[in-house]
Amino acid sequence: MDLTVVAYVIYLLISIGLTIWVARTLSRNGRIFIADVLHGNEKLADAVNHLLVVGFYLVNIGFVTLYLRSADTIADARTLFEALSVKLGVVLLILGAMHLGNVWVLNKMRRRGIMERRQTPPVAPQGWTAPAAGPQGWTKPAGA
């Protein structure tokens, strides 16, 4: 069997395995952030989380398959390991960048939700207060 084909198989197995592992980790831990942003709406949090995971799979597995092709011929074990290390290193960097991007977006969404909750008063207004007296002790006449 050609060593280039062996390199392709090893590369695909490791890359897709890493992609699945990172996606599951993001899904499991990112769901908490999404639920917090969506004010505890569990069904919507699950739906958004699932959509994010599908997008993550599509982008990363698409990159992995596009990056499969190799211009170099692999003649021995040394070039096999060198080719795999370069390809897997690039895939790991892309997965890391995607992971950091997802964490950044989730954190930004969470912070926005926290700021929106701080702007909303905890108790609805119960009435109104009469206007205070002006600097000389006078108040505005009604209708002025």
Side-chain angles (χ1 to χ4, degrees), residues 117 119-129:
R117 281 193 293 257
Q119 291 176 354
T120 309
V123 178
Q126 298 170 354
W128 64 279
T129 305

Side-chain angles (χ1 to χ4, degrees), residues 25-80:
T25 302
L26 284 172
S27 174
R28 189 176 335 109
N29 297 317
R31 187 185 174 287
I32 296 166
F33 285 105
I34 295 170
D36 186 42
V37 169
L38 299 174
H39 309 292
N41 188 341
E42 299 292 327
K43 288 179 112 176
L44 185 58
D46 287 338
V48 169
N49 194 18
H50 184 72
L51 290 173
L52 287 171
V53 169
V54 168
F56 186 84
Y57 280 136
L58 290 172
V59 169
N60 285 301
I61 292 176
F63 174 78
V64 164
T65 55
L66 283 174
Y67 197 61
L68 175 68
R69 188 171 174 203
S70 178
D72 301 331
T73 39
I74 300 174
D76 57 0
R78 178 180 173 198
T79 54
L80 173 73

Side-chain angles (χ1 to χ4, degrees), residues 107-122:
N107 192 35
K108 197 160 181 78
M109 288 171 56
R110 184 174 173 268
R111 284 179 187 245
R112 187 179 329 152
I114 290 171
M115 292 304 289
E116 286 174 1
R117 281 193 293 257
R118 286 185 181 166
Q119 291 176 354
T120 309

